[in-house]
């Protein structure tokens, strides 16, 4: 079974600084997707960034980027120039590429990010 | 931008009562999901639903749970006889299904269920 581990329950960062959230996962699959979801206090969970395992290039999305280390099964999220609106719970998640089309997502326990003005 | 919506935002019920949690997926989506998150724990998959039938379910999704798409727009999760341990945040999600390997699940804001 696939598992996703986030070892940092809480993190804090000064506004405009950079922070890295850690995630490791375990799978026997060779092809899969990894995600970072953001859940602000308003509770709507939104997709921040997605990485396809077959791609060597790390995904980037504006101020958000990942460091994907497939051999180490590590998938960290870097937030540059942190803003107050980045304060949220961040979930690392995994999904198999081919799972009969049904594609359940497996989540980590989350990291609560606090942004200090 | 279209969003998944869920009602109610908070449901309080007595142990043993039936509850129905409602979700309105994004209109052109074909695959629907329920997840739950017990306070302080990870988000867990419950069930996926496609073409009016359950396509996959977890060991959590026992006979007390059922899902239905009664009218082509709503997607409901019913818990027949709630237990204290059913207290959790329940998230609905949907995706298009047009590109099975690449498309993304969109999540609703959740319903907080409190069983007393």
């Amino acid at each position: 079974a696939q598992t996703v581990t986030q070892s940092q329950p809480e993190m804090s960062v000064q506004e405009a600084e950079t922070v890295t959230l850690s995630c490791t996962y375990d799978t026997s699959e060779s092809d899969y997707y990894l995600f970072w979801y953001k859940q602000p206090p308003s509770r709507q969970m939104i997709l921040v960034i997605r990485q396809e395992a077959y791609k060597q290039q790390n995904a980037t999305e504006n101020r958000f980027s990942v460091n994907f280390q497939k051999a180490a099964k590590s998938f960290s999220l870097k937030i540059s120039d942190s803003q107050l609106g980045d304060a949220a719970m961040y979930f690392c998640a995994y999904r198999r590429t081919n799972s009969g089309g049904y594609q359940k997502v497996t989540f980590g326990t989350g990291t609560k990010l606090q942004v200090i003005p | 931008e279209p969003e998944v919506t869920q009602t109610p935002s908070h449901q309080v019920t007595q142990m043993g009562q039936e509850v129905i949690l409602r979700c309105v997926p994004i209109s052109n989506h074909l695959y629907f999901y329920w997840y739950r998150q017990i306070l302080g724990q990870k988000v867990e998959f419950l069930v996926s639903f496609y073409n009016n039938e359950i396509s996959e379910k977890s060991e959590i999704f026992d006979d007390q749970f059922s899902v239905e798409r009664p009218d082509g727009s709503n997607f409901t999760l019913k818990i027949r006889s709630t237990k204290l341990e059913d207290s959790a945040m329940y998230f609905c999600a949907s995706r298009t299904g047009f590109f099975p390997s690449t498309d993304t699940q969109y999540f609703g804001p959740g319903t907080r269920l409190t069983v007393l």
Side-chain angles (χ1 to χ4, degrees), chain A residues 4 33 35 37 39 42-45 47 50 91 95 97-99 101-109, chain B residues 4 9 31 33 35 37 42-43 45 48 55-56 89 91 95 100-105 107-110 112:
Chain A
V4 177
Y33 288 92
F35 307 87
Y37 280 91
Q39 186 182 33
S42 63
R43 299 180 301 163
Q44 191 93 31
M45 193 152 47
L47 180 68
R50 178 176 67 193
F91 292 101
R95 192 191 81 203
T97 303
N98 293 308
S99 56
Y102 308 131
Q103 300 187 340
K104 68 177 183 182
V105 176
T106 301
F107 288 87
T109 50
Chain B
V4 176
S9 58
Y31 290 81
Y33 305 82
Y35 294 80
Q37 183 183 25
K42 64 175 66 179
V43 178
F45 168 78
S48 60
S55 45
E56 188 177 4
M89 183 75 85
F91 293 101
R95 68 178 178 92
S101 294
T102 60
D103 69 343
T104 298
Q105 292 182 24
F107 286 80
R112 179 166 296 284

Side-chain angles (χ1 to χ4, degrees), chain B residues 64-78:
Chain B
Q64 292 299 313
F65 292 89
S66 62
V67 289
E68 194 179 30
R69 190 156 159 80
D71 56 13
S73 62
N74 291 283
F75 177 52
T76 61
L77 174 68
K78 181 193 290 186

